[in-house]
Amino acid sequence: DKRLAPRIQEINEEYKDTFVPLQDGLIQREEFGMCIDAIESEEMVIVSGNAGCGKSGCMEAILNYCEENRIPYVAIKLDRRIPRKNCDAWGRELGFPGSIVHAVHYLSKNEKAVIILDQLDALRWTQANSSEALTVCTELIRQVKQLNYERKKKMLIVFACRTYDLENDNNIKQ
């Protein structure tokens, strides 16, 4: 489907447009290197920290790394693109024929790929029924794990979440 790559590009541009770097640019952090190591080792990652500690900057650095290394990725801020119903319905809402996982898989079957889901913690504040959104995220994780059995290089998910929510919200913790 020739519509997949341009749609992923649009979603990535939407994500990048929301990031406002500091006047001096991105601050190189030790945590960024840890995220890159995890991506290179084909491991999923949760970036957590307090408000204002640099999670979004870390996500931006990961995007830059993916672009520099030609790693296919899609980046979504969950407070702006709230997951609804199930992976297929949410994917269609995002402009794909089905689940975003399958779209990324289709474009990157023999390559490493990254799905970035930022603002996981915002789901509990932006929607009356946040458990539905978290259920979609859980389904997304299962889809990635299942597809990774047949892939040469793994598809990874990088989540960003405030530490408080990661530690204290049972739905996010799961």
Side-chain angles (χ1 to χ4, degrees):
D1 188 336
K2 295 178 193 253
R3 298 171 293 171
L4 294 179
R7 184 63 189 135
I8 286 175
Q9 185 63 37
E10 287 173 18
I11 289 173
N12 289 342
E13 290 301 321
E14 176 184 290
Y15 180 94
K16 288 192 262 185
D17 287 346
T18 65
F19 181 73
V20 180
L22 299 171
Q23 187 174 7
D24 295 332
L26 286 177
I27 298 170
Q28 288 299 319
R29 300 180 186 274
E30 178 183 331
E31 291 80 3
F32 170 61
M34 295 165 60
C35 289
I36 296 311
D37 290 345
I39 290 169
E40 287 303 315
S41 300
E42 298 184 338
E43 298 172 8
M44 297 200 198
V45 178
I46 298 176
V47 175
S48 66
N50 296 326
C53 76
K55 294 181 299 296
S56 293
C58 191
M59 295 296 108
E60 187 71 17
I62 291 170
L63 297 182
N64 293 341
Y65 176 81
C66 287
E67 288 175 358
E68 290 166 10
N69 291 279
R70 297 183 177 210
I71 298 171
Y73 73 92
V74 63
I76 299 171
K77 285 200 180 278
L78 296 174
D79 60 337
R80 293 175 179 252
R81 298 290 192 157
I82 300 168
R84 302 180 206 283
K85 297 180 184 171
N86 58 52
C87 280
D88 285 341
W90 186 45
R92 285 191 297 276
E93 189 177 305
L94 291 170
F96 297 105
S99 171
I100 191 166
V101 172
H102 295 290
V104 172
H105 173 67
Y106 178 79
L107 289 176
S108 67
K109 283 183 185 172
N110 298 318
E111 304 172 76
K112 189 180 309 175
V114 178
I115 297 173
I116 297 169
L117 299 176
D118 197 353
Q119 302 286 328
L120 182 64
D121 52 286
L123 293 178
R124 67 188 286 217
W125 305 111
T126 59
Q127 185 178 15
N129 189 3
S130 67
S131 64
E132 178 184 65
L134 291 170
T135 299
V136 175
C137 290
T138 301
E139 180 186 358
L140 190 136
I141 293 167
R142 276 195 296 267
Q143 286 183 357
V144 167
K145 286 181 175 180
Q146 184 176 17
L147 284 173
N148 278 342
Y149 287 120
E150 65 184 66
R151 292 173 59 91
K152 291 180 182 178
K153 300 274 186 167
K154 291 190 177 181
M155 186 183 321
L156 315 166
I157 303 173
V158 177
F159 285 103
C161 181
R162 288 186 184 177
T163 300
Y164 178 84
D165 296 281
L166 182 61
E167 292 175 350
N168 296 293
D169 185 301
N170 287 330
N171 292 321
I172 290 176
K173 198 184 298 188
Q174 289 178 354

